[in-house]
Amino acid sequence: MRTQETLSVDQAVARAVALAEAGGRSVVGIAGAPGAGKSTLARRVVTEVVTRLGPGVAVQVPMDGFHLANAALDTLGRRGRKGAVDTFDAAGYVALVRRLAATGGTDGTVWAPDFDRRVDEPVAGSIAVPRETVLVVSEGNYLLDQTAPWRELPDLFTETWACVVDDSVRIDRLVGRHMRHGRDHEAARRWAVEVDGVNADRVTADLHRASVLVRT
């Protein structure tokens, strides 16, 4: 197994700034288990690049925008496993990343979906990625998964980063998140361990495929 470079958050941000300053379109994929800090890292990267280089230069596009709607999950009997690999529109996400990674294409602004945690639903056409954007940061659990169509993603990304963090810290983050969205402490911890935990095991098994590790 190859040795992966491990970066601090500050080093990862500096690496992203360098990618943006190089010109052209770069798309960075940030993978990691639930609660590993992917979204926090993505927001910090985009904020820093925009601060240095100007509005619209960097945009965050989360994989979570491709969650299946709750009504669809109810129909499939998968609402209780929301967040599992089969509860996303994987082909739709891969198609979007392919569009975002294409440089010199005919697309103008590309519109991507977001995920609204307040209502626990994806929201279509929420995020604008103008042609002038030089850095797109996309984060999600399954960016390094080896099943189809997820396995196409590493070849589409300019770089893939894997967030790594101690399990106890990760679970505490998840419990806090679930409580902020309405679960009591017992239910929040049960979901973090029993539902998120299964997904975390799957994600962690593939983190060796990332370009670099980021200690979050």
Side-chain angles (χ1 to χ4, degrees):
M1 183 184 299
R2 63 187 174 87
T3 301
Q4 290 169 294
E5 183 179 5
T6 301
L7 306 178
S8 67
V9 169
D10 287 345
Q11 290 170 326
V13 170
R15 188 181 184 105
V17 170
L19 283 173
E21 290 177 336
R25 169 68 63 81
S26 295
V27 185
V28 173
I30 303 178
K38 303 179 296 296
S39 297
T40 300
L41 176 60
R43 283 193 297 271
R44 180 166 172 189
V45 164
V46 169
T47 298
E48 184 69 22
V49 172
V50 167
T51 298
R52 293 194 185 202
L53 302 181
V57 170
V59 177
Q60 180 180 357
V61 177
M63 187 199 85
D64 278 358
F66 288 84
H67 268 289
L68 298 182
N70 289 332
L73 293 175
D74 287 338
T75 299
L76 295 169
R78 295 295 285 163
R79 181 76 170 270
R81 293 296 305 168
K82 187 170 185 173
V85 70
D86 63 335
T87 63
F88 293 87
D89 175 13
Y93 176 67
V94 171
L96 175 67
V97 173
R98 194 180 301 279
R99 286 182 71 194
L100 294 173
T103 57
T106 58
D107 283 346
T109 297
V110 174
W111 288 93
D114 201 355
F115 187 78
D116 189 340
R117 291 193 180 277
R118 295 168 298 179
V119 295
D120 199 35
E121 291 276 18
V123 183
S126 299
I127 301 171
V129 185
R131 185 182 302 192
E132 296 76 19
T133 298
V134 296
L135 180 67
V136 179
V137 183
S138 187
E139 83 284 358
N141 292 348
Y142 303 112
L143 276 54
L144 296 168
D145 198 87
Q146 298 190 58
T147 60
W150 303 101
R151 63 185 175 216
E152 299 175 34
L153 290 168
D155 289 334
L156 300 177
F157 290 124
T158 308
E159 291 190 353
T160 50
W161 300 356
C163 288
V164 290
V165 67
D166 292 341
D167 240 19
S168 59
V169 174
R170 187 182 61 77
I171 291 171
D172 284 348
R173 289 175 180 171
L174 287 171
V175 171
R177 177 193 300 174
H178 295 321
M179 290 180 68
R180 287 192 298 274
H181 292 93
R183 291 187 172 95
D184 62 31
H185 184 271
E186 181 180 350
R189 186 165 186 84
R190 186 166 58 249
W191 189 280
V193 173
E194 297 178 6
V195 179
D196 292 329
V198 173
N199 302 334
D201 288 343
R202 180 176 183 134
V203 171
T204 301
D206 290 323
L207 294 185
H208 66 278
R209 303 179 70 209
S211 310
V212 297
L213 302 179
V214 182
R215 174 64 66 175
T216 54

